[in-house]
Amino acid sequence: MEIIRNPDGSLVVPIPEGRHHDSDDVVDAPTDDSVNVVAEPTTRLLHPGEGGYSEALAEWDLQQNPDRTPAVSTASGREEAMNVVHTLAESPDHDVAGALKDVTDSEASGEALRHVLIGGTHSVEAFSEEVAEAEGGEPLPAHKMTKIIGEVLAELDK
C-alpha cells in the first residue's frame, strides 16, 4: 500500500502488520468474545507536526518517482527553496504555483527541499531557522514548514 497525500497536507500511511510468532500451541476455536473483535486499522492519518510526519512525507515524495537519485542540495537550489518557502509562509493567498514562477531551477529547489525532509524533524527545524535568518521574520514551527515543503514538492511534481 502506498502513502496518500491529501489536499490538506495530511498523509494516509500504511501501518505494518504486527508480528506473528509461530507457535506449536493448538489454536482454539473462536469464542463468543473473540468473534466480535474489531480488526486493527491498516492505515493511519498523519497531520503536519505529528511524530513520523516528516519521514512519511519524504517516503511519499520518493513514491512519486522511485527512480530518482538521492537528493543533493546545492547552494543556489537551497537559496531559491528558502525564498519560495518564505514567500508562501508570508502570503495570505498561499499561491504555490505563483511562488514558483520566479524560480530559475525548480529541480535544484526541489532537491534542496527533499534533502531537508530526509534529515527529519531536526533538519526541518534548522532549515526554518535558516530561512528566517536569510529572509527575515520568525522561524516557522516544524509542522508548518513541513506542510509548506510538501505543498511545494507536490506542485513541482505536477
Side-chain angles (χ1 to χ4, degrees):
M1 176 179 211
E2 292 189 350
I3 296 172
I4 300 167
R5 185 178 180 278
N6 296 319
D8 68 353
S10 62
L11 300 170
V12 178
V13 298
I15 297 174
E17 190 174 318
R19 292 181 135 190
H20 297 278
H21 299 285
D22 292 335
S23 172
D24 292 336
D25 296 340
V26 176
V27 178
D28 295 329
T31 63
D32 288 338
D33 293 337
S34 65
V35 171
N36 295 325
V37 173
V38 177
E40 292 291 320
T42 58
T43 62
R44 179 172 178 213
L45 183 66
L46 290 176
H47 292 89
E50 288 187 90
Y53 181 86
S54 295
E55 294 80 1
L57 185 59
E59 184 65 30
W60 169 83
D61 183 60
L62 181 61
Q63 282 177 191
Q64 304 312 298
N65 185 353
D67 297 330
R68 182 182 295 132
T69 58
V72 176
S73 183
T74 62
S76 62
R78 192 168 182 93
E79 285 176 23
E80 285 190 321
M82 288 192 302
N83 183 273
V84 167
V85 167
H86 177 73
T87 299
L88 290 171
E90 298 290 317
S91 170
D93 62 351
H94 208 71
D95 177 21
V96 179
L100 287 168
K101 71 178 170 46
D102 293 330
V103 172
T104 57
D105 190 350
S106 59
E107 187 175 329
S109 296
E111 289 301 297
L113 293 174
R114 288 179 180 93
H115 194 264
V116 169
L117 283 181
I118 290 168
T121 303
H122 294 297
S123 178
V124 172
E125 290 169 344
F127 184 69
S128 181
E129 293 280 341
E130 188 178 349
V131 170
E133 187 177 303
E135 302 287 335
E138 293 295 314
L140 289 177
H143 70 280
K144 288 183 180 180
M145 178 63 75
T146 303
K147 184 177 180 186
I148 291 173
I149 290 172
E151 292 168 347
V152 171
L153 291 176
E155 183 68 27
L156 289 173
D157 284 343
K158 284 185 178 179

